[in-house]
Amino acid sequence: MSRPTRAPVRLAALLTLILATGPLHVVPLHAQPSGSSGPATSAPALEKDKLTAAAPKGYLSEEATPNLVAILPPPPAGHSAAEAADRAMYNATRAYQGSPRWALATNDVADGGAALLEDYACVLGQRIDQTRVPDLMRLLDRARIDVARATRVAKRRYRRLRPFVGNEAPICVARTPELADSFSYPSGHAGQGWAYGMIMANLMPEKATQFLVRSRLYGESRVVCGVHWLSDVEAARTGASALVSVLLTDPGFRADLERARADLKRALGGEGTKPDPTICAREDAAARQPLL
């Protein structure tokens, strides 16, 4: 007859233990800790893993990437003739505001493979939809990562301020704290543009001169825009040349280069939209006109 009394006794003991440890805290499903294995957190984790796996990687290891701190000279020292020349160029190019060259510099603010492919439309003779050249875009995107890594090391080493910092002269982009706090030497945009020009010249050597002229203009646009010193751009070309020379020794880069060559040939073999002749005339005029 003792069996029926055991359950109430055990229940009472359990309630006593619970009350002694304090009130219960119920965690709603949407507030589960990040370490939980429940469905509320596993899906975002999986999505993050997918994004990480899909993100492109550069071709070069850190050890194989050229050391731009060693290759490039330091930026011009304060009160030097070189710094005076940089300041004179910055001051003089403020007069371009409102001109066709200023418009070109504003257009050249956009970076990345898709933007540069559009900038090369006049050289190519047609505008190319980036979705039609996936191998070329992958090549440019991966090379861009190598350019950015090499440039970032030098920027952090020298920490040079941009020319518009400390004055109110016009520039072709918004004066944001992020831009002002980023470093100037060497120019990442100009390095990317020159590296892309060299890559495109390799893909279409018959138009190497035209690609490199347009890439020079792209770099000089940073000076016209007022966001880089001229010496930043000149150093960027040297750094990009060093980087591409190493990329050309990488088997993975060379294999992708050949795929991109076939990609580009197929795209140019079809009917494409012709570039705006006004834009091409503006680029041609800029190529013939020195900055000063």
Side-chain angles (χ1 to χ4, degrees):
M1 298 295 295
S2 60
R3 187 180 301 272
T5 63
R6 289 179 182 175
V9 170
R10 290 175 181 171
L11 180 60
L14 180 60
L15 288 173
T16 301
L17 178 61
I18 292 173
L19 292 173
T21 59
L24 290 174
H25 176 64
V26 180
V27 180
L29 287 178
H30 66 270
Q32 288 185 8
S34 59
S36 170
S37 60
T41 56
S42 60
L46 288 173
E47 290 301 318
K48 182 178 180 181
D49 290 342
K50 289 179 182 179
L51 290 173
T52 302
K57 297 180 180 179
Y59 290 99
L60 302 179
S61 66
E62 186 174 346
E63 294 75 20
T65 301
N67 182 357
L68 298 193
V69 173
I71 294 171
L72 301 176
H79 307 293
S80 66
E83 187 201 41
D86 267 349
R87 291 191 180 280
M89 179 65 77
Y90 171 71
N91 292 332
T93 50
R94 298 312 87 218
Y96 278 110
Q97 185 181 25
S99 70
R101 186 64 184 88
W102 185 272
L104 179 59
T106 304
N107 176 79
D108 285 348
V109 170
D111 67 337
L116 267 294
L117 190 62
E118 180 67 19
D119 289 340
Y120 293 137
C122 294
V123 177
L124 294 168
Q126 69 180 65
R127 300 176 64 192
I128 297 179
D129 181 354
Q130 61 175 315
T131 61
R132 296 174 56 202
V133 285
D135 292 321
L136 174 59
M137 298 309 300
R138 182 167 53 253
L139 177 78
L140 297 179
D141 287 344
R142 292 188 66 186
R144 180 188 186 189
I145 294 172
D146 290 311
V147 173
R149 185 197 305 115
T151 302
R152 185 163 52 248
V153 173
K155 280 178 176 283
R156 290 174 176 172
R157 169 65 177 82
Y158 295 115
R159 306 174 70 88
R160 191 185 196 189
L161 294 180
R162 292 180 183 266
F164 65 84
V165 175
N167 62 80
E168 298 301 322
I171 63 176
C172 77
V173 293
R175 289 172 173 264
T176 64
E178 292 77 15
L179 181 63
D181 291 342
S182 62
F183 303 123
S184 193
Y185 183 92
S187 166
H189 270 72
Q192 181 187 136
W194 193 252
Y196 281 178
M198 293 184 70
I199 291 171
M200 296 299 293
N202 191 293
L203 293 174
M204 297 183 67
E206 68 276 14
K207 292 194 173 185
T209 297
Q210 296 96 312
F211 281 122
L212 293 175
V213 167
R214 183 63 183 91
S215 294
R216 173 176 63 81
L217 295 180
Y218 184 81
E220 290 176 350
S221 285
R222 304 304 285 167
V223 180
V224 174
C225 191
V227 292
H228 274 290
W229 307 101
L230 179 59
S231 57
D232 298 339
V233 173
E234 292 170 340
R237 293 185 194 129
T238 300
S241 297
L243 185 76
V244 173
S245 69
V246 177
L247 280 172
L248 287 168
T249 69
D250 181 80
F253 178 82
R254 292 201 306 271
D256 283 354
L257 191 71
E258 293 310 311
R259 295 187 188 96
R261 194 188 312 278
D263 228 9
L264 188 58
K265 183 177 180 180
R266 284 192 297 270
L268 292 174
E271 291 293 329
T273 304
K274 297 298 181 184
D276 185 340
T278 303
I279 293 176
C280 296
R282 184 176 65 187
E283 292 178 3
D284 185 62
R288 299 172 186 275
Q289 179 183 11
L291 283 179
L292 289 180

